[in-house]
Structure formats: structure tokens, C-alpha cells
């Protein structure tokens, strides 16, 4: 009698280079391809609005791919510990497989693996969504790295990442497994005015991810040395596809190494080091599961950040601060669910240092509006800018948005694209003085350093 295998899809919404799916096919039994929408387990951070928009479309794309192989996506919702156990019993599964995750949710996986194995179910997890698993990259003292450069040097000193696994050509399916309807989950935003243009900029799903990587390697990688200039197309734009696992870092790694154009090859090492930053922030989240709520450096628990009402944050939210580079970045976020990385640093610095607003409020806004918001990179980047994180920018480094614009957007093309009223009477006056607000931030930092609680 068949003993089906459940393949539990999570942040790996693809069929190629999918170790858990590969193992399930080799096991030889019918497969239940499951996506569980878990917004109930305490270890799971509920998705933001833009992430839900992306997830809806990515699940549609995954279901299409599975149907082409003779299967389909089964949808369930609820807390994982109870819902997974119930499905295993319902279909009489003899095995379950998933690809590992590394934040707070790994506690769920550990509990389920122990529970199911005790019941005789063959439960397996696999290395799939990072190049190097966190516990494999440590210092000589067997401690986690706190600084990126030696971390990445250690990564590169060992065996190279494995080759991607092949794409399956057929899947043996379990018939008549009940599935919830995607529309029931109401992932589409209730207020579509900010999300209406997202589909103009993105194609969620595995095909969209592969197309994006192909286009970047063909034309963008040769320009990557100019990646800090937001007005040109010199970045990969792969971050949301990697966040949802529509493409694996192993695929990105090996396809990037296959480029032959000399101008592109000159930028391979630097581009892959940015993939390394993704690895590093996942490593940090593995060490600090509450990365989005707790300062890594406890001294900053005493820092006098403000927690203003949303009404005071409205100019920053809507790109109406009167500081052109900040406003251009926030308008890009509103229209596309994305912001150029250099501008992310500038807008974040403006909020937490010039406005003295707690980084968690900025992180929460980006979590809700970024299509690439993930539990490692988003809070890790905010803590980096705020000065309280691992390998953080020193607090006294306050990004001057005027200087940054002069250096990285010298012709104003990025600002003009997102601020059509820039330079007219319709553009607002600055909400604060950059020099004075920088001084206040540095004074607050000095006072924190002098505190007996931090000294």
C-alpha cells in the first residue's frame, strides 16, 4: 500500500534545484506538494502587505509548474505543529521532507521532526536556500562571525557551493487531497492604490526569477561596478525572487560564474559578495532569532529614540520630507515595492538619525511595503544603519542625503523619475535642518555612551 511523501514548500517556491522535492521523487511514492500558510505559530512573523501580494502570485506560478508535471499544490492554513501532523495522518504519509530555514521558525521544524519520527514517519530536512549553512562557517574558536569580511573570506576558503539539482520531468501525485482556495486567504491588499503598479515591475514565480537573472547576466552585470548609482539599471533585482526561493543561490552562483563577456566577468566577484551579504544576515538571524525586535548591541537599549505617531511619520512614509533623495526613494517604494540599496541606507539613516525615530518603526514600514522583506536582511539592514547591529555602521556615520545625491545621482535622473514636482513650487520645504538634526543625533549618542548603564 502506498505511503505518500509530503513535500512542504516554504520559502522555496520552485521545482528546480529543490532538494526536498528531489529526495521525495527518489523515494518513489506519490507526493503531496504542500504550502502551509502559517500566521499563527508564535515563531512566525506575519507577512507584510507587499509580501502577501507577491506570495499570491508566486503560489499561482508554482501550482502551474506542478500541474505541468502531473501534480498540483495543496494549500492548508493554520499553526504548523498541529496542521502538518493532521495532514500526515489524513493522507497516511510515510515521509515528509522540507528545506531548512534558519530563523526563529526552525524551532517549529525541530519539534515536528522529533514528533513525526516518534510516530514512525520518515522526516527529513535539507540544505537548499543558502550557499553555506550557518553552523558550518565559524571562527577558529568555533564562534559565529560578527564581521562580514572575515565571514565571507571563510566561506570562500572551503569547498565551492554544490551544483544545482536537475528539474523534475514528472511527479507522482496523491489523488483527492483536499485543498483550501488561494482566494480564501485574501492575500491581495485591501487598499490597492499603492499596489496597483506592482505588476508593472515584477513577475513573481520561478520563470520570472530565471528571466530576471538571465537579463542581469546579459546586460546588468557589466555595469555592476556602478551599482551605487540608483539612476541606472546596474543591480540584479533578484532579492524578492531569492526571498521567496523562486531561484536558489546555487543557481545564481553557478550561472554567474558561467558568464564570458569580459566586462561582466570583471564584476563577478563583487556581485557574488553581495550574495554573500545575504548569507551573512541569515547567519546573524540564526544567532539572533529576535532580530526584528531586539538590539544586537545592548548598549543601544538606552538610546533615546522616539516612538512617534504615524501622523508624524507621514511625510517620510509618503516621500514628502522635502529632502529629494529621501523622497525619491520612498516614492519608488510606494510605486514598486522596492528601493535601490544605496537609497535604502539614506532613507533609513534620515529616519533613525536625523529624525531620531526608533529603527523598529522604519523596519516595520519596510516589512509591510517591500516585496523582498525577509526576516534576516530587513531587520539586519536596519540595525546596521542604526549602529546597533552586527558589523554595523558606526552611529556617528550619518548619511547626508544631499552629499549622497551629488555623488550617486549627479545628473538627477533618479530624483526626477520619482519626483516629477521636484524643483517646482509644489515640492515641499524640508521638514528639518540636516546639520542641526545631525548634531542632535550625535549628542544623543554621546549621552548614551556616557550612561552608567552602558559605560
Amino acid at each position: 500500500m502506498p505511503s505518500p511523501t509530503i513535500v512542504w514548500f516554504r520559502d522555496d517556491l520552485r521545482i528546480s534545484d529543490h532538494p526536498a522535492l528531489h529526495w521525495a521523487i527518489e523515494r518513489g511514492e506519490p507526493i503531496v506538494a504542500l504550502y502551509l500558510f502559517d500566521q499563527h505559530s508564535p515563531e512566525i512573523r506575519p507577512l507584510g502587505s507587499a509580501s502577501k501580494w507577491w506570495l499570491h502570485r508566486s503560489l499561482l506560478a508554482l501550482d502551474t509548474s506542478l500541474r505541468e508535471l502531473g501534480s498540483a499544490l495543496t494549500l492548508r492554513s493554520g499553526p504548523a505543529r498541529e496542521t502538518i501532523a493532521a495532514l500526515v495522518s489524513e493522507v497516511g504519509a510515510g515521509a515528509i521532507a522540507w528545506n531548512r530555514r534558519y530563523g526563529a521558525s526552525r524551532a517549529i521544524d525541530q519539534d515536528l521532526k522529533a514528533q513525526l519520527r516518534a510516530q514512525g514517519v520518515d522526516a527529513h530536512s535539507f540544505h537548499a536556500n543558502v550557499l553555506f549553512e550557518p553552523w558550518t562557517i565559524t571562527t577558529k574558536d568555533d564562534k559565529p562571525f560578527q564581521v562580514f569580511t572575515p565571514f565571507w573570506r571563510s566561506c570562500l576558503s572551503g569547498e565551492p557551493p554544490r551544483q544545482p539539482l536537475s528539474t523534475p520531468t514528472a511527479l507522482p501525485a496523491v489523488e483527492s487531497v483536499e485543498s483550501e482556495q488561494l482566494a480564501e486567504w485574501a492575500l491581495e491588499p485591501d487598499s490597492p492604490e499603492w499596489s496597483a503598479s506592482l505588476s508593472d515591475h515584477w513577475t513573481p514565480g520561478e520563470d520570472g526569477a530565471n528571466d530576471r537573472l538571465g537579463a542581469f547576466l546579459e546586460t546588468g552585470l557589466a555595469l555592476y561596478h556602478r551599482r551605487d548609482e540608483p539612476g541606472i539599471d546596474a543591480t540584479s533585482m533578484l532579492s524578492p525572487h531569492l526571498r521567496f526561493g523562486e531561484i536558489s543561490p546555487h543557481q545564481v552562483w553557478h550561472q554567474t560564474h558561467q558568464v564570458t563577456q569580459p566586462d561582466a566577468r570583471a564584476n563577478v566577484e563583487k556581485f557574488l559578495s553581495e550574495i554573500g551579504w545575504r548569507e551573512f544576515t541569515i547567519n546573524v538571524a540564526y544567532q539572533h532569532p529576535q532580530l526584528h525586535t531586539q538590539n544586537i548591541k545592548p548598549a543601544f537599549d538606552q538610546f533615546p529614540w522616539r516612538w512617534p505617531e504615524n501622523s508624524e511619520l507621514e511625510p517620510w512614509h509618503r516621500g514628502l520630507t522635502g529632502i529629494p533623495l529621501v523622497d525619491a526613494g520612498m516614492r519608488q517604494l510606494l510605486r514598486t515595492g522596492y528601493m535601490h540599496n544605496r537609497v535604502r541606507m539614506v532613507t533609513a539613516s534620515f529616519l533613525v538619525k536625523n529624525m531620531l525615530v526608533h529603527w523598529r518603526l522604519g523596519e516595520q514600514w519596510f516589512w509591510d511595503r517591500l516585496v523582498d522583506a525577509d526576516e534576516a536582511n530587513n531587520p539586519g539592514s536596519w540595525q546596521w544603519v542604526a549602529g546597533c547591529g552586527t558589523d554595523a555602521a558606526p552611529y556617528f556615520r550619518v548619511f547626508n542625503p544631499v552629499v549622497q545625491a551629488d555623488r550617486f545621482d549627479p545628473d538627477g535622473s533618479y530624483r526626477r523619475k520619482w519626483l516629477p514636482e521636484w524643483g517646482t513650487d509644489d515640492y515641499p520645504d524640508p521638514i528639518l535642518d540636516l546639520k542641526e538634526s545631525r548634531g542632535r543625533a550625535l549628542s544623543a549618542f554621546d549621552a548614551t555612551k556616557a550612561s552608567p548603564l552602558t559605560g
Side-chain angles (χ1 to χ4, degrees):
M1 188 170 180
S3 58
T5 306
I6 296 172
V7 177
W8 180 12
F9 289 84
R10 292 102 71 88
D11 296 330
D12 49 7
L13 305 181
R14 62 183 186 273
I15 59 171
S16 60
D17 193 32
H18 196 289
L21 181 61
H22 187 83
W23 178 83
I25 293 171
E26 289 192 330
R27 184 171 179 266
E29 298 288 353
I31 291 172
V32 177
L34 169 72
Y35 183 83
L36 174 65
F37 187 52
D38 183 355
Q39 302 281 272
H40 304 281
S41 298
E43 298 89 348
I44 299 292
R45 186 177 184 186
L47 295 178
S49 301
S51 294
K52 289 179 181 178
W53 177 91
W54 190 287
L55 176 63
H56 180 97
R57 286 154 179 77
S58 191
L59 291 176
L60 289 174
L62 178 60
D63 183 57
T64 297
S65 296
L66 291 169
R67 289 180 184 276
E68 290 172 353
L69 299 178
S71 184
L73 189 61
T74 297
L75 302 177
R76 295 290 173 93
S77 60
R81 291 175 176 87
E82 292 82 5
T83 309
I84 293 291
L87 181 64
V88 167
S89 177
E90 176 186 330
V91 302
I96 183 169
W98 61 74
N99 294 323
R100 286 193 280 272
R101 48 193 178 183
Y102 304 98
S105 56
R106 69 181 186 270
I108 299 172
D109 301 350
Q110 291 165 353
D111 289 348
L112 273 170
K113 188 179 289 186
Q115 173 188 343
L116 294 171
R117 285 179 173 177
Q119 297 170 5
V121 178
D122 194 4
H124 279 272
S125 63
F126 295 88
H127 169 199
N129 296 321
V130 293
L131 298 173
F132 309 96
E133 294 195 285
W135 53 87
T136 68
I137 306 298
T138 58
T139 68
K140 293 179 180 179
D141 298 328
D142 201 29
K143 295 180 180 179
F145 283 97
Q146 304 301 310
V147 178
F148 170 72
T149 299
F151 165 83
W152 190 234
R153 189 183 302 123
S154 179
C155 290
L156 298 179
S157 68
E159 291 294 318
R162 62 162 176 79
Q163 289 286 337
L165 299 171
S166 60
T167 303
T169 56
L171 288 178
V174 176
E175 301 294 334
S176 304
V177 179
E178 184 178 347
S179 175
E180 297 176 18
Q181 298 300 306
L182 186 58
E184 297 172 356
W185 293 356
L187 298 176
E188 301 280 39
D190 292 331
S191 302
E193 52 89 12
W194 64 267
S195 64
S197 62
L198 293 184
S199 58
D200 296 335
H201 300 275
W202 302 103
T203 304
E206 190 169 1
D207 288 345
N210 286 313
D211 289 346
R212 181 75 74 177
L213 176 60
F216 171 68
L217 295 180
E218 183 177 347
T219 61
L221 184 57
L223 295 171
Y224 197 70
H225 56 286
R226 300 180 64 185
R227 66 195 171 279
D228 280 325
E229 301 176 46
I232 66 171
D233 294 328
T235 59
S236 72
M237 306 287 283
L238 283 169
S239 53
H241 298 291
L242 283 165
R243 180 260 176 269
F244 285 93
E246 298 165 348
I247 194 168
S248 79
H250 299 86
Q251 292 170 303
V252 174
W253 179 274
H254 287 286
Q255 290 186 47
T256 300
H257 273 295
Q258 291 169 10
V259 300
T260 58
Q261 182 189 359
D263 288 347
R265 286 209 58 81
N267 291 326
V268 165
E269 183 177 341
K270 184 57 186 175
F271 170 62
L272 291 179
S273 76
E274 296 302 319
I275 300 297
W277 268 103
R278 175 181 179 271
E279 300 276 318
F280 181 66
T281 58
I282 291 172
N283 196 292
V284 171
Y286 178 76
Q287 301 171 47
H288 303 280
Q290 301 305 315
L291 187 63
H292 67 291
T293 59
Q294 296 177 4
N295 299 318
I296 292 177
K297 295 179 180 176
F300 279 84
D301 294 347
Q302 309 302 320
F303 192 84
W305 277 307
R306 300 186 304 115
W307 293 82
E309 298 295 327
N310 275 340
S311 58
E312 186 179 339
L313 297 178
E314 189 74 2
W316 184 78
H317 287 164
R318 300 187 62 81
L320 296 170
T321 67
I323 308 297
L325 187 58
V326 172
D327 291 344
M330 299 304 290
R331 302 279 187 91
Q332 182 187 18
L333 176 62
L334 286 173
R335 290 282 301 279
T336 71
Y338 182 84
M339 190 189 302
H340 185 277
N341 186 61
R342 168 63 52 174
V343 188
R344 292 190 198 200
M345 292 188 286
V346 174
T347 57
S349 177
F350 182 82
L351 183 75
V352 301
K353 294 179 178 177
N354 296 96
M355 294 179 68
L356 277 181
V357 171
H358 202 292
W359 63 265
R360 285 179 56 187
L361 291 179
E363 193 275 339
Q364 289 165 14
W365 182 255
F366 274 29
W367 179 261
D368 188 61
R369 294 305 174 92
L370 280 171
V371 292
D372 63 5
D374 74 33
E375 64 181 359
N377 188 63
N378 196 56
S381 296
W382 275 90
Q383 291 218 40
W384 182 88
V385 171
C388 56
T390 302
D391 199 12
Y395 190 84
F396 55 77
R397 183 183 182 189
V398 181
F399 285 87
N400 185 311
V402 175
V403 173
Q404 292 284 309
D406 289 344
R407 181 177 178 185
F408 297 111
D409 188 35
D411 63 358
S413 58
Y414 177 78
R415 283 165 288 174
R416 282 194 302 273
K417 179 177 182 178
W418 300 109
L419 298 176
E421 77 277 27
W422 178 40
T424 73
D425 291 340
D426 293 330
Y427 188 64
D429 293 329
I431 62 172
L432 51 73
D433 182 274
L434 292 175
K435 184 177 180 180
E436 290 180 0
S437 58
R438 179 181 185 276
R440 285 194 297 271
L442 296 182
S443 295
F445 179 60
D446 288 342
T448 301
K449 287 198 301 181
S451 168
L453 295 176
T454 59

